[in-house]
Amino acid sequence: MSSNDTSLTITSSNENKGLSINNVLCIGYSGRNQEKVKEHIEELAELGVPRPEQTPTLFPMRLSSLNTTGKMEVIGDQTSGEAELVFIYGDKEEEVYVTVGSDHTDRELETVHIGKSKQVCDKPLASKVWPVKDVIDHWDELVLKTEIKVDGQWQSYQNEKVSAIMPYEDIKENLKSRGIELPNSVFFAGTVPLLEGFKFGEAYEMSLEDPVKGDSIILHYEVQEL
């Protein structure tokens, strides 16, 4: 591992594995229905969020933003997370895993600069992963869910199949077409719609569920405002 890399420990089939990571990207506006994505961009524009130059949009993140501790600190009271598909690549392109993470974002700063609004927040992710090859044959059956704790009360925040997001192969090919090296990288690759719009919670519990295999990956984290 070079001095520019960070170490990430994942758990696959109950075995821990250390990976060297040298690149973290968030992929924005990666909805499968790009017409709806354009509608969403216009809705955000009405709220003051700048329109992207192209979609999907790539946002570089800090290596230090990867957070598996279950806790994160934020600046201000207008930050929120969303459950994301996260792809983690090992030393080879063929070694790729999927898990659930959170594209936690400063919503106040988002109206000024989308990239910075993501970069100032840690990116929580679960340590448990599945090899993509183990779930690719029933990919669209996978489900992303989020429960959010607001004023001490848990409530549903997201609940939809990953078929709302661009297929894995399309995301992979889009990255390669833009000259992005896949090995030793982490990609926060997209989310599903919110049930009732943005809310600012003190805790989040997110899951990637596989109803075919009866398995799930859980991410829980607490938010501490500085």
Side-chain angles (χ1 to χ4, degrees), residues 2-226:
S2 75
S3 59
N4 294 324
D5 294 357
T6 191
S7 178
L8 179 66
T9 300
I10 61 173
T11 303
S12 178
S13 301
N14 295 318
E15 293 186 4
N16 292 338
K17 180 180 178 65
L19 298 179
S20 177
I21 302 298
N22 57 35
N23 189 32
V24 180
L25 287 175
C26 279
I27 305 172
Y29 307 113
S30 59
R32 189 170 301 191
N33 186 329
Q34 284 291 299
E35 288 304 315
K36 286 190 174 295
V37 168
K38 292 176 182 177
E39 292 177 9
H40 180 55
I41 288 171
E42 293 307 314
E43 291 171 354
L44 291 175
E46 292 179 4
L47 299 175
V49 179
R51 297 175 179 85
E53 293 183 4
Q54 68 178 120
T55 60
T57 307
L58 305 182
F59 302 100
M61 297 294 117
R62 297 174 283 116
L63 290 178
S64 60
S65 68
L66 296 179
N67 185 335
T68 58
T69 66
K71 296 181 179 180
M72 67 175 293
E73 296 174 324
V74 298
I75 302 170
D77 60 0
Q78 294 188 44
T79 73
S80 65
E82 296 175 351
E84 295 254 334
L85 283 178
V86 180
F87 298 117
I88 303 172
Y89 283 85
D91 294 335
K92 299 179 180 180
E93 186 177 309
E94 296 75 24
E95 183 189 359
V96 56
Y97 308 92
V98 64
T99 189
V100 61
S102 178
D103 179 16
H104 208 95
T105 299
D106 185 318
R107 301 301 171 187
E108 187 174 22
L109 184 56
E110 191 173 35
T111 63
V112 179
H113 194 292
I114 298 177
K116 290 180 180 179
S117 72
K118 296 175 179 293
Q119 291 164 344
V120 299
C121 296
D122 282 357
K123 293 292 175 273
L125 73 164
S127 296
K128 179 180 175 179
V129 302
W130 296 324
V132 167
K133 63 181 178 59
D134 289 354
V135 292
I136 196 66
D137 64 346
H138 55 282
W139 186 259
D140 282 354
E141 296 304 309
L142 303 181
V143 178
L144 279 173
K145 293 182 179 180
T146 299
E147 298 286 321
I148 185 173
K149 190 177 184 181
V150 180
D151 297 328
Q153 301 295 317
W154 287 98
Q155 53 188 276
S156 294
Y157 196 52
Q158 293 174 288
N159 186 348
E160 191 158 331
K161 291 181 178 180
V162 304
S163 54
I165 304 169
M166 289 175 64
Y168 164 68
E169 289 294 342
D170 288 1
I171 292 173
K172 176 182 175 181
E173 291 308 312
N174 184 273
L175 290 169
K176 293 179 70 173
S177 72
R178 293 158 85 161
I180 304 298
E181 296 287 338
L182 301 183
N184 306 112
S185 297
V186 174
F187 301 101
F188 286 73
T191 189
V192 296
L194 304 178
L195 296 176
E196 296 178 348
F198 290 133
K199 295 180 181 179
F200 309 121
E202 58 253 33
Y204 295 80
E205 185 157 295
M206 301 173 172
S207 63
L208 176 60
E209 301 183 359
D210 183 347
V212 175
K213 293 193 172 185
D215 197 6
S216 61
I217 300 174
I218 306 296
L219 168 65
H220 178 95
Y221 69 96
E222 310 280 335
V223 177
Q224 177 65 49
E225 182 185 335
L226 295 176

